Amino acid sequence: MMPWTLGVSETVALRSALDCFRCGGTEFIQAIRRNVSLEMQHSQVQEQIPLYAVGGLTEDESARVAQHLDVCPSCRALWSEYQFVAAELLEHVPPQIVPAHVGARLLNLAAADARRDASFEKRRAARSERARFWERGVTMPRWAFGLLAIFLLFLFGAVGAFAWQSQKSNAQAAQVQQLFAARNLKFVPIRSEDAAANDKGYLCLTAQNSTGLLWLYNLAPLDHEHVYQVWLRDNMGRENGGTFRADYDGRAVAVIQAPRPLGEYQEIGITIEPTGGSLAPTTPRVFVGKLD
Amino acid sequence: MQSHSAEIDAAVVSDEQLLVQVLARDPAALRQLYERHGSAVYSLAQYILRDAAVAEELTQEIFLTVWNKAEQYQADYARFRTWLLSITRNRAIDQLRRRRRRIQSALSLDDASVAEEFAPLVEPIDSQRELHLLLRHLPPEQRLAIELCYFQGYTHEEIAAHLHIPLGTLKSRILLGLKKLRAMLKDGDAHLP
Ligand SMILES: [Zn+2]
């Protein structure tokens, strides 16, 4: 690229102009320099625009062109012509027939997405209604109060025996206390997936609280390689509710920490997973409870 | 009667209007966009990647981008279709470059492997395919330069080295070719396919 140089007549003109603008001379020169550099840029950029349109410039060069395009309408007009060339090149390739399964798969994915979005909206709308349901409180049969008393005794025994030794557990204990102080505490029966089998226990929860207490009995003891894992399910999918083990008598008390208030879930499920837990269930569900 | 009027509506609705419906998560709008532009996206992906299975994947990926990130469409692209094809080109070329890097790290970068890499381009394109290319209007050396840079994603340095020509010569070939195409398109589409 040729550098921009002042010709003789321009130098003379500049000198005489400088004589006139002696006081503001520096500003004048700066203004001229700005124009000169814009002018230089303009001719350089004009040459680069075709390459810019087809992505053939380095990052630095592209940035400089883009900067110039911001201030120069005539370069922008030229650019849009070369954008058209670039677009036409992409249009004119040998046409191929897309296999039908590509569109089918795409539209299936989109439709499933849309259904999920719609049910999310519905769930949001239903949430207020469900809140009302929870506010009605729970009617517990009389035997359930007896059971609750036994349960609390058992719970506090369990607390003393093995559950809360650490600071974290203290925090959990406080949450459980808070849970039990709630007026609208609800007991959800947990049943075995096997219809013939007995109830397995209860999940104690309130709709607003994300902490719940799971109390289970008659569990099959697991070896060291396996744990029970809790899953909480709603319309959007499934979330991990943590893992627990049963004691030698087949009993387990587990504090569940859900990501959201438990009233927002529809179902609790329990699977047997490798020690440490899984990201998603790897075995069929063994126990289930309906939360709504 | 109803389905008839729906068809008329479909013909009238612009891509940009459909895009607004896509933003509102309407799968029917995505279906229409796919019906209008799916084969152009697939053909371009296939032309650049020369692999039907990979082109299928990319086509789906591009339309899922439309579905999930329709807001990324920038109005400074004159048309939606232009934007769609340009992101298809960018992603296809990214894949080509990744593929090349894998080949290069597997082979030592001697002349033989570089020649092998360029090999598909030397392949004659059959006349049926040729018919559709805008590039066929250009002299072979300009056409090859643009093909390598625009459709194969090689840098100017790589192309100049491969063709054994100075960088300046390469750039002027590309420029000349593009200027010729611009003049041709400006004249009107009379001698275009
Ligand atoms: Zn300019």
Side-chain angles (χ1 to χ4, degrees), chain B residues 19-87:
Chain B
L19 211 57
V20 172
Q21 282 171 252
V22 164
L23 274 171
R25 311 298 274 167
D26 176 4
L30 183 73
R31 172 192 287 273
Q32 286 226 24
L33 287 174
Y34 180 77
E35 278 167 6
R36 287 180 192 182
H37 310 298
S39 68
V41 167
Y42 177 73
S43 302
L44 178 61
Q46 163 85 285
Y47 182 73
I48 295 176
L49 294 161
R50 295 168 197 226
D51 180 328
V54 184
E56 284 174 21
E57 290 267 312
L58 184 61
T59 304
Q60 182 175 319
E61 187 190 313
I62 293 291
F63 279 92
L64 283 178
T65 301
V66 173
W67 176 242
N68 291 314
K69 295 177 182 147
E71 67 280 3
Q72 279 183 2
Y73 164 66
Q74 291 154 358
D76 53 320
Y77 280 94
R79 294 184 306 157
F80 168 73
R81 186 180 171 98
T82 309
W83 174 71
L84 201 63
L85 291 181
S86 90
I87 60 171

Side-chain angles (χ1 to χ4, degrees), chain A residues 137-269:
Chain A
V138 184
T139 51
M140 263 196 293
R142 194 173 295 170
W143 60 265
F145 281 104
L147 202 62
L148 174 60
I150 300 168
F151 166 64
L152 288 175
L153 277 176
F154 169 76
L155 168 68
F156 291 125
V159 169
F162 56 82
W164 290 285
Q165 296 110 337
S166 68
Q167 284 299 319
K168 184 180 164 226
S169 300
N170 282 335
Q172 279 191 340
Q175 280 170 322
V176 173
Q177 268 177 354
Q178 203 187 343
L179 177 70
F180 277 92
R183 200 169 42 81
N184 51 354
L185 186 68
K186 186 174 177 175
F187 289 72
V188 167
I190 306 292
R191 295 203 163 87
S192 171
E193 281 288 49
D194 176 5
N198 295 326
D199 284 358
K200 286 293 178 184
Y202 287 89
L203 173 65
C204 308
L205 72 158
T206 72
Q208 299 78 22
N209 212 316
S210 57
T211 303
L213 202 110
L214 193 63
W215 168 43
L216 298 169
Y217 42 85
N218 293 336
L219 298 180
L222 300 177
D223 61 27
H224 287 293
E225 254 97 66
H226 292 89
V227 289
Y228 287 102
Q229 187 162 359
V230 177
W231 306 98
L232 294 156
R233 193 181 186 92
D234 65 3
N235 285 328
M236 303 285 285
R238 166 190 332 105
E239 280 169 327
N240 177 12
T243 62
F244 64 91
R245 285 176 186 283
D247 67 13
Y248 288 112
D249 296 315
R251 291 179 304 188
V253 176
V255 178
I256 289 177
Q257 290 289 2
R260 289 180 287 122
L262 288 163
E264 292 185 26
Y265 296 91
Q266 292 171 335
E267 207 176 54
I268 174 174

Side-chain angles (χ1 to χ4, degrees), chain A residues 38-39 41-43 45-46 49 68-69 71-76:
Chain A
L38 193 74
E39 197 52 38
Q41 257 186 20
H42 180 72
S43 57
V45 165
Q46 247 183 347
I49 279 173
H68 179 79
L69 287 176
V71 297
C72 181
S74 87
C75 281
R76 267 206 303 278

Side-chain angles (χ1 to χ4, degrees), chain B residues 153-168:
Chain B
Y154 288 101
T155 65
H156 291 172
E157 287 75 13
E158 285 170 326
I159 302 169
H162 170 69
L163 298 176
H164 306 292
I165 53 173
L167 199 59

